Coordinates of all heavy atoms in Angstrom, one line a residue:
A1 N -67.7 5.7 53.2 CA -68.7 5.9 54.2 C -68.0 6.7 55.4 O -66.9 6.5 55.7 CB -69.2 4.6 54.7
S2 N -68.8 7.5 56.0 CA -68.2 8.3 57.1 C -68.4 7.7 58.4 O -69.3 6.9 58.7 CB -68.8 9.7 57.0 OG -70.2 9.6 57.2
A3 N -67.4 8.0 59.3 CA -67.4 7.4 60.6 C -68.7 7.8 61.4 O -69.1 8.9 61.4 CB -66.2 7.9 61.4
G4 N -69.3 6.8 62.1 CA -70.5 7.1 62.9 C -71.8 7.1 62.2 O -72.8 7.2 62.8
K5 N -71.8 7.1 60.9 CA -73.1 7.2 60.1 C -73.2 5.9 59.3 O -72.7 5.8 58.2 CB -73.1 8.4 59.2 CG -73.0 9.7 59.9 CD -72.9 10.9 59.0 CE -72.8 12.2 59.8 NZ -72.7 13.3 58.9
V6 N -74.0 5.0 59.9 CA -74.1 3.7 59.2 C -75.6 3.5 59.0 O -76.5 3.9 59.8 CB -73.5 2.5 60.0 CG1 -72.0 2.7 60.1 CG2 -74.1 2.4 61.4
T7 N -75.9 2.7 58.0 CA -77.3 2.4 57.7 C -77.8 1.3 58.7 O -77.0 0.6 59.3 CB -77.5 1.8 56.3 OG1 -76.7 0.6 56.2 CG2 -77.0 2.8 55.2
P8 N -79.1 1.1 58.8 CA -79.6 0.0 59.7 C -79.0 -1.3 59.2 O -78.7 -2.2 60.1 CB -81.1 0.1 59.5 CG -81.4 1.5 59.1 CD -80.2 1.9 58.3
E9 N -78.9 -1.6 57.9 CA -78.3 -2.8 57.5 C -76.9 -3.0 57.9 O -76.5 -4.1 58.3 CB -78.4 -2.9 55.9 CG -79.8 -2.9 55.4 CD -80.4 -1.5 55.3 OE1 -79.8 -0.5 55.5 OE2 -81.6 -1.5 55.0
T10 N -76.1 -1.9 57.9 CA -74.7 -2.0 58.3 C -74.6 -2.1 59.8 O -73.7 -2.9 60.3 CB -74.0 -0.7 57.8 OG1 -74.1 -0.7 56.4 CG2 -72.5 -0.8 58.2
E11 N -75.5 -1.5 60.5 CA -75.5 -1.7 62.0 C -75.8 -3.2 62.3 O -75.1 -3.8 63.2 CB -76.5 -0.8 62.7 CG -76.5 -0.9 64.2 CD -75.1 -0.7 64.8 OE1 -74.4 0.2 64.4 OE2 -74.8 -1.5 65.7
K12 N -76.7 -3.8 61.6 CA -76.9 -5.3 61.8 C -75.7 -6.1 61.5 O -75.4 -7.0 62.2 CB -78.1 -5.7 60.9 CG -79.4 -5.2 61.4 CD -80.5 -5.7 60.4 CE -81.9 -5.1 60.8 NZ -82.9 -5.4 59.8
L13 N -74.9 -5.6 60.5 CA -73.7 -6.3 60.1 C -72.7 -6.2 61.2 O -72.0 -7.2 61.6 CB -73.1 -5.8 58.8 CG -71.8 -6.3 58.3 CD1 -71.9 -7.8 58.1 CD2 -71.4 -5.6 57.0
F14 N -72.5 -5.0 61.8 CA -71.7 -4.8 63.0 C -72.1 -5.7 64.1 O -71.2 -6.3 64.8 CB -71.6 -3.3 63.4 CG -70.6 -2.5 62.7 CD1 -71.0 -1.7 61.6 CD2 -69.3 -2.5 63.2 CE1 -70.0 -0.9 61.0 CE2 -68.3 -1.7 62.5 CZ -68.7 -0.9 61.4
R15 N -73.4 -5.8 64.4 CA -73.8 -6.7 65.5 C -73.5 -8.1 65.2 O -73.1 -8.9 66.1 CB -75.3 -6.5 65.7 CG -75.7 -5.3 66.5 CD -77.1 -5.3 67.0 NE -78.1 -5.4 66.0 CZ -78.7 -4.4 65.4 NH1 -78.4 -3.1 65.7 NH2 -79.6 -4.6 64.5
A16 N -73.7 -8.6 64.0 CA -73.4 -9.9 63.6 C -71.9 -10.2 63.8 O -71.5 -11.3 64.3 CB -73.8 -10.2 62.2
V17 N -71.0 -9.3 63.4 CA -69.6 -9.5 63.6 C -69.3 -9.6 65.1 O -68.6 -10.5 65.5 CB -68.8 -8.4 62.9 CG1 -67.3 -8.5 63.2 CG2 -68.9 -8.5 61.4
R18 N -69.8 -8.6 65.9 CA -69.5 -8.6 67.3 C -70.0 -9.9 68.0 O -69.4 -10.4 68.9 CB -70.3 -7.4 68.0 CG -69.5 -6.1 67.9 CD -70.1 -5.1 68.8 NE -71.5 -4.7 68.5 CZ -71.8 -3.7 67.6 NH1 -70.9 -3.1 67.0 NH2 -73.1 -3.5 67.4
S19 N -71.0 -10.5 67.4 CA -71.6 -11.8 68.0 C -70.9 -13.0 67.4 O -71.2 -14.1 67.8 CB -73.1 -11.9 67.7 OG -73.7 -10.8 68.3
N20 N -70.0 -12.8 66.5 CA -69.3 -13.9 65.8 C -70.3 -14.9 65.1 O -70.2 -16.1 65.2 CB -68.4 -14.7 66.8 CG -67.4 -15.6 66.1 OD1 -67.0 -15.4 64.9 ND2 -66.9 -16.6 66.8
D21 N -71.3 -14.3 64.5 CA -72.4 -15.0 63.9 C -72.2 -15.0 62.4 O -72.7 -14.1 61.7 CB -73.7 -14.4 64.3 CG -75.0 -15.1 63.8 OD1 -74.8 -16.0 62.9 OD2 -76.1 -14.8 64.3
F22 N -71.5 -16.0 61.9 CA -71.1 -16.1 60.5 C -72.4 -16.1 59.5 O -72.4 -15.3 58.6 CB -70.2 -17.3 60.2 CG -69.7 -17.3 58.8 CD1 -68.7 -16.4 58.4 CD2 -70.1 -18.2 57.9 CE1 -68.2 -16.4 57.2 CE2 -69.6 -18.3 56.6 CZ -68.6 -17.4 56.2
P23 N -73.4 -16.9 59.8 CA -74.6 -16.9 58.9 C -75.2 -15.5 58.9 O -75.7 -15.0 57.8 CB -75.5 -17.9 59.5 CG -74.6 -18.9 60.2 CD -73.5 -18.0 60.8
A24 N -75.3 -14.8 60.0 CA -75.9 -13.5 60.1 C -75.0 -12.5 59.3 O -75.5 -11.6 58.6 CB -76.1 -13.0 61.5
V25 N -73.7 -12.6 59.3 CA -72.8 -11.8 58.5 C -73.1 -11.9 57.1 O -73.3 -10.9 56.3 CB -71.3 -12.1 58.8 CG1 -70.4 -11.4 57.8 CG2 -70.9 -11.7 60.2
Q26 N -73.2 -13.2 56.6 CA -73.6 -13.4 55.2 C -74.9 -12.8 54.8 O -75.0 -12.1 53.8 CB -73.6 -14.9 54.9 CG -72.2 -15.6 55.1 CD -72.3 -17.1 54.9 OE1 -73.1 -17.8 55.7 NE2 -71.6 -17.6 54.0
R27 N -75.9 -13.0 55.7 CA -77.3 -12.5 55.4 C -77.2 -10.9 55.3 O -77.8 -10.3 54.4 CB -78.2 -12.9 56.5 CG -79.3 -13.8 56.2 CD -80.3 -14.0 57.3 NE -79.9 -13.8 58.6 CZ -79.4 -14.6 59.5 NH1 -79.1 -15.8 59.1 NH2 -79.1 -14.3 60.7
N28 N -76.5 -10.3 56.3 CA -76.5 -8.9 56.3 C -75.7 -8.2 55.2 O -76.1 -7.1 54.8 CB -76.0 -8.4 57.7 CG -77.0 -8.6 58.8 OD1 -78.1 -8.1 58.7 ND2 -76.6 -9.4 59.8
L29 N -74.8 -8.9 54.7 CA -74.1 -8.4 53.5 C -75.0 -8.5 52.3 O -75.1 -7.5 51.5 CB -72.8 -9.3 53.2 CG -71.7 -9.0 54.1 CD1 -70.6 -10.1 53.9 CD2 -71.1 -7.6 53.9
L30 N -75.8 -9.6 52.1 CA -76.7 -9.7 51.0 C -77.8 -8.6 51.2 O -78.4 -8.2 50.2 CB -77.3 -11.1 51.0 CG -76.3 -12.2 50.6 CD1 -77.0 -13.6 50.7 CD2 -75.9 -12.0 49.1
D31 N -78.2 -8.3 52.4 CA -79.2 -7.3 52.7 C -78.7 -5.8 52.5 O -79.5 -4.9 52.7 CB -79.8 -7.4 54.1 CG -80.6 -8.7 54.2 OD1 -81.0 -9.3 53.1 OD2 -80.9 -9.1 55.3
G32 N -77.4 -5.7 52.2 CA -76.9 -4.3 51.9 C -76.0 -3.7 52.9 O -75.6 -2.5 52.9
G33 N -75.5 -4.5 53.9 CA -74.5 -4.1 54.8 C -73.2 -3.6 54.1 O -72.8 -4.3 53.1
D34 N -72.6 -2.6 54.6 CA -71.5 -2.0 53.9 C -70.2 -2.3 54.6 O -69.9 -1.9 55.7 CB -71.7 -0.5 53.8 CG -70.6 0.3 53.1 OD1 -69.6 -0.4 52.6 OD2 -70.6 1.5 53.0
V35 N -69.3 -3.1 53.9 CA -68.0 -3.5 54.6 C -67.0 -2.3 54.7 O -66.1 -2.4 55.5 CB -67.3 -4.6 53.8 CG1 -68.1 -5.9 53.9 CG2 -67.0 -4.2 52.4
R36 N -67.3 -1.2 54.0 CA -66.4 -0.1 54.1 C -66.8 1.0 55.1 O -66.1 1.9 55.4 CB -66.3 0.6 52.7 CG -65.5 -0.3 51.7 CD -65.4 0.4 50.3 NE -64.5 -0.4 49.5 CZ -64.9 -1.5 48.9 NH1 -66.1 -2.0 49.0 NH2 -64.0 -2.1 48.1
A37 N -68.0 0.9 55.6 CA -68.6 1.8 56.6 C -67.8 1.8 57.9 O -67.3 0.7 58.3 CB -70.0 1.6 56.8
E38 N -67.6 2.9 58.5 CA -66.9 3.0 59.8 C -67.9 3.3 60.9 O -68.8 4.1 60.7 CB -65.8 4.0 59.8 CG -64.7 3.7 58.8 CD -63.7 4.9 58.7 OE1 -63.9 5.9 59.3 OE2 -62.7 4.6 58.0
N39 N -67.7 2.7 62.1 CA -68.6 3.0 63.2 C -68.0 4.3 63.9 O -67.1 4.9 63.4 CB -68.6 1.8 64.2 CG -67.3 1.5 64.8 OD1 -66.3 2.2 64.7 ND2 -67.3 0.3 65.5
A40 N -68.6 4.7 65.0 CA -68.2 5.9 65.7 C -66.8 5.9 66.2 O -66.2 6.9 66.3 CB -69.2 6.1 66.9
A41 N -66.2 4.7 66.4 CA -64.8 4.6 66.8 C -63.9 4.6 65.6 O -62.7 4.4 65.7 CB -64.6 3.3 67.6
G42 N -64.4 4.7 64.4 CA -63.6 4.7 63.2 C -63.2 3.3 62.7 O -62.3 3.2 61.9
L43 N -63.9 2.2 63.2 CA -63.6 0.9 62.8 C -64.6 0.4 61.7 O -65.8 0.7 61.8 CB -63.7 -0.1 64.0 CG -62.7 0.2 65.1 CD1 -63.0 -0.8 66.2 CD2 -61.3 0.0 64.6
T44 N -64.1 -0.4 60.8 CA -64.9 -1.1 59.8 C -65.3 -2.5 60.4 O -64.6 -2.9 61.4 CB -64.2 -1.3 58.5 OG1 -63.1 -2.2 58.6 CG2 -63.8 0.0 57.8
V45 N -66.2 -3.2 59.8 CA -66.5 -4.5 60.3 C -65.3 -5.4 60.1 O -65.1 -6.4 60.9 CB -67.7 -5.1 59.6 CG1 -69.0 -4.4 60.0 CG2 -67.6 -5.1 58.1
I46 N -64.5 -5.2 59.1 CA -63.2 -6.0 59.0 C -62.3 -5.7 60.1 O -61.8 -6.7 60.7 CB -62.6 -5.7 57.6 CG1 -63.5 -6.1 56.5 CG2 -61.2 -6.4 57.5 CD1 -63.0 -5.6 55.1
D47 N -62.1 -4.5 60.5 CA -61.3 -4.1 61.7 C -61.8 -4.8 62.9 O -61.0 -5.4 63.7 CB -61.3 -2.6 61.9 CG -60.7 -1.8 60.8 OD1 -59.8 -2.3 60.1 OD2 -61.2 -0.7 60.6
L48 N -63.1 -4.8 63.1 CA -63.7 -5.4 64.3 C -63.5 -6.9 64.3 O -63.1 -7.4 65.4 CB -65.2 -5.0 64.3 CG -66.0 -5.5 65.5 CD1 -65.5 -4.9 66.8 CD2 -67.5 -5.2 65.3
A49 N -63.7 -7.5 63.2 CA -63.5 -9.0 63.1 C -62.1 -9.4 63.5 O -61.8 -10.3 64.2 CB -63.9 -9.5 61.8
I50 N -61.1 -8.6 62.9 CA -59.7 -8.9 63.2 C -59.4 -8.6 64.7 O -58.7 -9.5 65.3 CB -58.8 -8.1 62.3 CG1 -58.9 -8.6 60.8 CG2 -57.3 -8.1 62.7 CD1 -58.3 -7.7 59.8
D51 N -59.9 -7.5 65.2 CA -59.6 -7.2 66.6 C -60.1 -8.3 67.6 O -59.5 -8.6 68.6 CB -60.2 -5.8 67.0 CG -59.5 -4.7 66.4 OD1 -58.4 -4.8 65.9 OD2 -60.0 -3.5 66.5
K52 N -61.3 -8.8 67.2 CA -61.9 -9.9 68.1 C -61.3 -11.3 67.8 O -61.6 -12.2 68.5 CB -63.4 -9.9 67.9 CG -64.0 -8.6 68.5 CD -65.5 -8.8 68.7 CE -66.0 -7.8 69.7 NZ -65.9 -8.1 71.1
G53 N -60.5 -11.4 66.8 CA -59.9 -12.7 66.5 C -60.9 -13.6 65.7 O -60.7 -14.8 65.7
Y54 N -61.9 -13.0 65.1 CA -62.9 -13.8 64.3 C -62.4 -13.9 62.8 O -62.9 -13.2 61.9 CB -64.2 -13.1 64.3 CG -64.8 -13.0 65.7 CD1 -65.7 -12.0 66.0 CD2 -64.4 -13.8 66.8 CE1 -66.3 -11.8 67.3 CE2 -65.0 -13.7 68.1 CZ -65.9 -12.6 68.3 OH -66.4 -12.5 69.5
F55 N -61.3 -14.7 62.6 CA -60.6 -14.7 61.4 C -61.4 -15.3 60.2 O -61.2 -14.8 59.1 CB -59.3 -15.3 61.5 CG -58.4 -14.6 62.5 CD1 -58.0 -15.3 63.7 CD2 -58.1 -13.3 62.4 CE1 -57.2 -14.6 64.6 CE2 -57.3 -12.6 63.3 CZ -56.9 -13.2 64.4
K56 N -62.3 -16.2 60.4 CA -63.1 -16.7 59.4 C -64.0 -15.6 58.8 O -64.1 -15.4 57.6 CB -64.0 -17.9 59.9 CG -64.9 -18.5 58.8 CD -65.8 -19.6 59.4 CE -66.7 -20.1 58.4 NZ -67.6 -21.2 58.9
I57 N -64.6 -14.9 59.7 CA -65.4 -13.7 59.3 C -64.6 -12.7 58.6 O -65.0 -12.1 57.6 CB -66.2 -13.1 60.5 CG1 -67.3 -14.1 60.9 CG2 -66.8 -11.8 60.2 CD1 -68.1 -13.7 62.2
A58 N -63.4 -12.4 59.2 CA -62.5 -11.4 58.6 C -62.2 -11.7 57.2 O -62.2 -10.9 56.3 CB -61.3 -11.2 59.4
H59 N -61.8 -13.0 56.9 CA -61.4 -13.4 55.6 C -62.6 -13.3 54.6 O -62.5 -12.9 53.5 CB -60.9 -14.9 55.6 CG -59.5 -15.0 56.1 ND1 -58.4 -15.0 55.3 CD2 -59.0 -15.1 57.4 CE1 -57.3 -15.1 56.0 NE2 -57.7 -15.2 57.3
Y60 N -63.8 -13.7 55.1 CA -65.0 -13.6 54.3 C -65.3 -12.1 53.9 O -65.6 -11.8 52.8 CB -66.2 -14.2 55.0 CG -67.4 -14.3 54.2 CD1 -67.6 -15.4 53.3 CD2 -68.4 -13.3 54.2 CE1 -68.7 -15.5 52.5 CE2 -69.5 -13.5 53.4 CZ -69.7 -14.5 52.6 OH -70.8 -14.7 51.8
L61 N -65.2 -11.2 54.9 CA -65.4 -9.8 54.6 C -64.4 -9.2 53.7 O -64.7 -8.4 52.8 CB -65.4 -9.0 55.9 CG -66.6 -9.3 56.9 CD1 -66.3 -8.7 58.3 CD2 -67.9 -8.9 56.3
L62 N -63.1 -9.6 53.8 CA -62.1 -9.2 52.9 C -62.4 -9.7 51.5 O -62.2 -8.9 50.5 CB -60.7 -9.7 53.4 CG -60.1 -8.9 54.6 CD1 -59.0 -9.7 55.2 CD2 -59.7 -7.5 54.2
A63 N -62.8 -10.9 51.4 CA -63.1 -11.5 50.0 C -64.3 -10.7 49.4 O -64.3 -10.4 48.2 CB -63.5 -13.0 50.1
W64 N -65.3 -10.4 50.3 CA -66.5 -9.6 49.8 C -66.0 -8.3 49.3 O -66.4 -7.8 48.2 CB -67.5 -9.5 51.0 CG -68.7 -8.8 50.6 CD1 -68.9 -7.5 50.5 CD2 -69.9 -9.4 50.2 NE1 -70.2 -7.2 50.1 CE2 -70.9 -8.4 49.9 CE3 -70.4 -10.8 50.1 CZ2 -72.2 -8.7 49.6 CZ3 -71.7 -11.0 49.7 CH2 -72.6 -10.0 49.4
R65 N -65.2 -7.6 50.1 CA -64.7 -6.2 49.7 C -63.9 -6.3 48.4 O -64.1 -5.5 47.5 CB -63.9 -5.6 50.8 CG -63.5 -4.2 50.5 CD -62.6 -3.6 51.6 NE -61.3 -4.3 51.6 CZ -60.4 -4.1 52.5 NH1 -60.6 -3.3 53.5 NH2 -59.2 -4.7 52.5
S66 N -63.0 -7.3 48.3 CA -62.2 -7.5 47.1 C -63.1 -7.7 45.9 O -62.9 -7.1 44.8 CB -61.3 -8.6 47.3 OG -60.5 -8.9 46.1
N67 N -64.1 -8.5 46.0 CA -65.0 -8.8 44.9 C -65.8 -7.6 44.5 O -66.0 -7.3 43.3 CB -66.0 -10.0 45.3 CG -66.7 -10.5 44.1 OD1 -66.1 -10.8 43.1 ND2 -68.0 -10.5 44.2
E68 N -66.2 -6.8 45.5 CA -66.9 -5.5 45.2 C -66.0 -4.6 44.4 O -66.5 -3.9 43.5 CB -67.3 -4.8 46.5 CG -68.6 -5.3 47.0 CD -69.1 -4.4 48.2 OE1 -68.3 -3.7 48.8 OE2 -70.3 -4.5 48.5
S69 N -64.7 -4.5 44.7 CA -63.8 -3.7 44.1 C -63.6 -4.0 42.6 O -63.5 -3.2 41.7 CB -62.4 -3.7 44.7 OG -62.5 -3.2 46.0
R70 N -63.6 -5.4 42.3 CA -63.5 -5.8 41.0 C -64.7 -5.8 40.2 O -64.7 -5.6 39.0 CB -62.9 -7.3 41.0 CG -61.4 -7.3 41.2 CD -60.9 -8.7 41.1 NE -60.8 -9.2 42.5 CZ -61.3 -10.3 42.9 NH1 -62.0 -11.1 42.1 NH2 -61.2 -10.7 44.2
N71 N -65.9 -6.0 40.8 CA -67.2 -6.0 40.2 C -68.2 -5.2 41.0 O -69.0 -5.7 41.8 CB -67.7 -7.5 40.1 CG -66.8 -8.4 39.4 OD1 -66.5 -8.2 38.3 ND2 -66.3 -9.4 40.1
P72 N -68.2 -3.8 40.8 CA -69.0 -3.0 41.6 C -70.5 -3.3 41.5 O -71.2 -2.9 42.4 CB -68.7 -1.6 41.0 CG -67.6 -1.7 40.1 CD -67.4 -3.1 39.8
N73 N -71.0 -3.9 40.5 CA -72.4 -4.2 40.4 C -72.8 -5.6 40.9 O -73.9 -5.9 40.9 CB -72.8 -4.1 38.9 CG -72.7 -2.7 38.4 OD1 -72.9 -1.7 39.1 ND2 -72.2 -2.5 37.2
C74 N -71.8 -6.3 41.3 CA -72.0 -7.7 41.8 C -71.8 -7.7 43.3 O -70.8 -7.2 43.8 CB -71.0 -8.7 41.2 SG -71.2 -10.3 41.8
H75 N -72.8 -8.2 44.1 CA -72.7 -8.1 45.5 C -72.5 -9.5 46.1 O -73.0 -9.8 47.2 CB -73.9 -7.4 46.1 CG -74.0 -6.0 45.7 ND1 -73.1 -5.0 46.1 CD2 -74.8 -5.4 44.8 CE1 -73.4 -3.9 45.5 NE2 -74.4 -4.1 44.7
Y76 N -72.0 -10.5 45.4 CA -71.8 -11.8 45.9 C -70.3 -12.2 45.9 O -69.7 -12.0 44.9 CB -72.6 -12.8 45.0 CG -74.0 -12.6 45.0 CD1 -74.6 -11.8 44.0 CD2 -74.8 -13.1 46.0 CE1 -76.0 -11.5 44.1 CE2 -76.2 -12.8 46.0 CZ -76.8 -12.1 45.1 OH -78.1 -11.8 45.1
P77 N -69.8 -12.7 47.0 CA -68.4 -13.2 47.0 C -68.3 -14.4 46.1 O -69.3 -15.0 45.7 CB -68.1 -13.5 48.5 CG -69.4 -13.7 49.0 CD -70.4 -12.9 48.2
S78 N -67.0 -14.8 45.9 CA -66.8 -16.0 45.1 C -67.5 -17.2 45.8 O -67.7 -17.2 47.0 CB -65.3 -16.3 44.9 OG -64.8 -16.7 46.1
R79 N -67.8 -18.2 45.1 CA -68.4 -19.4 45.6 C -67.5 -20.3 46.4 O -67.9 -21.2 47.0 CB -69.1 -20.2 44.5 CG -70.1 -19.4 43.7 CD -71.4 -19.8 44.0 NE -72.4 -19.1 43.2 CZ -73.3 -18.3 43.7 NH1 -73.4 -18.1 45.0 NH2 -74.2 -17.7 42.9
R80 N -66.2 -20.0 46.4 CA -65.2 -20.8 47.1 C -65.5 -20.7 48.6 O -65.7 -19.7 49.2 CB -63.8 -20.2 46.8 CG -62.7 -21.0 47.5 CD -61.4 -20.5 47.1 NE -61.1 -19.2 47.6 CZ -60.7 -19.0 48.9 NH1 -60.4 -20.0 49.6 NH2 -60.4 -17.7 49.3
R81 N -65.6 -21.9 49.2 CA -65.9 -21.9 50.6 C -64.7 -21.7 51.4 O -63.6 -22.1 51.1 CB -66.4 -23.4 51.0 CG -67.8 -23.7 50.4 CD -68.2 -25.0 50.7 NE -68.2 -25.2 52.2 CZ -69.3 -25.1 52.9 NH1 -70.5 -24.9 52.4 NH2 -69.2 -25.3 54.2
L82 N -64.9 -20.9 52.5 CA -63.8 -20.7 53.5 C -63.8 -21.8 54.5 O -64.9 -22.2 55.0 CB -64.0 -19.3 54.1 CG -63.9 -18.1 53.2 CD1 -64.3 -16.8 53.9 CD2 -62.5 -18.0 52.6
R83 N -62.7 -22.2 54.9 CA -62.6 -23.3 55.9 C -62.0 -22.8 57.2 O -61.3 -22.0 57.3 CB -61.7 -24.4 55.3 CG -62.3 -25.0 54.1 CD -61.4 -26.0 53.5 NE -61.6 -26.0 52.1 CZ -62.2 -27.0 51.4 NH1 -62.5 -28.0 52.0 NH2 -62.4 -26.9 50.1

């Protein structure tokens, strides 16, 4: 994804991360938010979560991205709960 060009679903994902709203992050991923997309500043949602110290969200997004890499047709992270 190119910097500054994000879908409405991905913009919602960025807002959820900025708000530290874990349930909204989960919802927005299922709705098609892209963990690889970059905002105008060149940050991904993972970068943003780490920068803000929202490590539960960052770990979840990393697991989501990793699962997408292994299973491109599957959009669900593992069922293992993050604590």
Side-chain angles (χ1 to χ4, degrees):
S2 59
K5 298 179 182 176
V6 297
T7 64
E9 295 81 7
T10 301
E11 183 53 43
K12 288 178 188 175
L13 179 58
F14 271 97
R15 280 196 300 269
V17 171
R18 276 193 296 273
S19 300
N20 196 24
D21 186 344
F22 188 73
V25 168
Q26 293 174 305
R27 246 188 341 271
N28 288 302
L29 286 169
L30 291 172
D31 288 344
D34 182 0
V35 295
R36 290 179 173 79
E38 296 177 352
N39 64 12
L43 297 175
T44 67
V45 289
I46 295 168
D47 299 327
L48 182 61
I50 292 168
D51 285 351
K52 292 201 163 273
Y54 302 154
F55 299 118
K56 179 180 177 182
I57 289 175
H59 282 267
Y60 188 83
L61 293 169
L62 286 165
W64 184 277
R65 186 182 68 185
S66 176
N67 191 53
E68 275 188 341
S69 297
R70 281 184 262 125
N71 301 304
N73 296 321
C74 178
H75 299 289
Y76 298 94
S78 72
R79 301 256 185 239
R80 184 175 68 83
R81 291 180 57 97
L82 297 174
R83 298 173 211 250

